[in-house]
Amino acid sequence: MKWKAIVMATALAGIALGSVVAADGTHDSRIGMMKKIGGAAGALGAIAKGDKPYDADIVKASLTTIAETAKAFPDQFNSQSDKTDPEVNPKIWDNLDDFKAHAAKLSTDAETALAQLPADKAGVGATLKTLGGSCGACHQAYRIKKD
């Protein structure tokens, strides 16, 4: 029960923080938003693996965090953004519409899962696989990983 309260508080705080840094465009704000998505995916992963029991509230909070953060993430790449970030592939700036489409797909996938809420750990696992595919496609195209 304590874990559920922590996840819910983190998810809600993350949603609130997202509105504060929504168009900052700095490395730190981008990383902060990706960590929010990663934390939500981690909570879903713990359920899918059976490390944590299925909890509809945690699933809802996690999917909401992913949907809202993915929707806001492209705002991090605007005319005032840091274009010298060493973890961002410069191709983003030349392919901004494609980049935005990747983010929109992740957001839509999360919203779809939220509307058809997975009812058990297997459903959460299937949802996580879909979300992971969307995340991976964008990272493969546009992220430069530090050594």
Side-chain angles (χ1 to χ4, degrees):
M1 195 60 132
K2 191 176 195 179
W3 187 80
K4 178 180 170 182
I6 291 169
V7 170
M8 290 295 291
T10 302
L12 293 174
I15 291 168
L17 176 64
S19 63
V20 173
V21 297
D24 187 316
T26 64
H27 173 81
D28 290 343
S29 62
R30 292 172 184 158
I31 295 300
M33 291 180 86
M34 285 293 101
K35 285 185 177 184
K36 282 175 37 180
I37 290 174
L44 294 173
I47 292 171
K49 291 178 194 173
D51 295 342
K52 299 290 179 184
Y54 175 85
D55 186 310
D57 290 335
I58 291 172
V59 174
K60 286 178 191 175
S62 297
L63 291 171
T64 299
T65 296
I66 292 169
E68 292 179 1
T69 306
K71 190 178 291 182
F73 191 66
D75 294 340
Q76 296 295 313
F77 300 87
N78 59 51
S79 60
Q80 290 82 38
S81 297
D82 175 8
K83 294 182 180 177
T84 63
D85 187 335
E87 289 187 50
V88 176
N89 191 320
K91 292 190 298 185
I92 283 179
W93 307 109
D94 296 329
N95 301 298
L96 201 51
D97 288 340
D98 182 61
F99 173 74
K100 288 179 180 181
H102 280 291
K105 180 166 179 6
L106 175 59
S107 181
T108 299
D109 289 346
E111 288 171 347
T112 299
L114 193 56
Q116 303 166 355
L117 195 67
D120 56 20
K121 82 175 197 168
V124 172
T127 295
L128 198 53
K129 184 174 181 179
T130 298
L131 298 176
S134 294
C135 289
C138 191
H139 280 206
Q140 196 167 34
Y142 296 113
R143 182 173 184 223
I144 296 175
K145 204 161 185 146
K146 291 191 304 186
D147 294 328

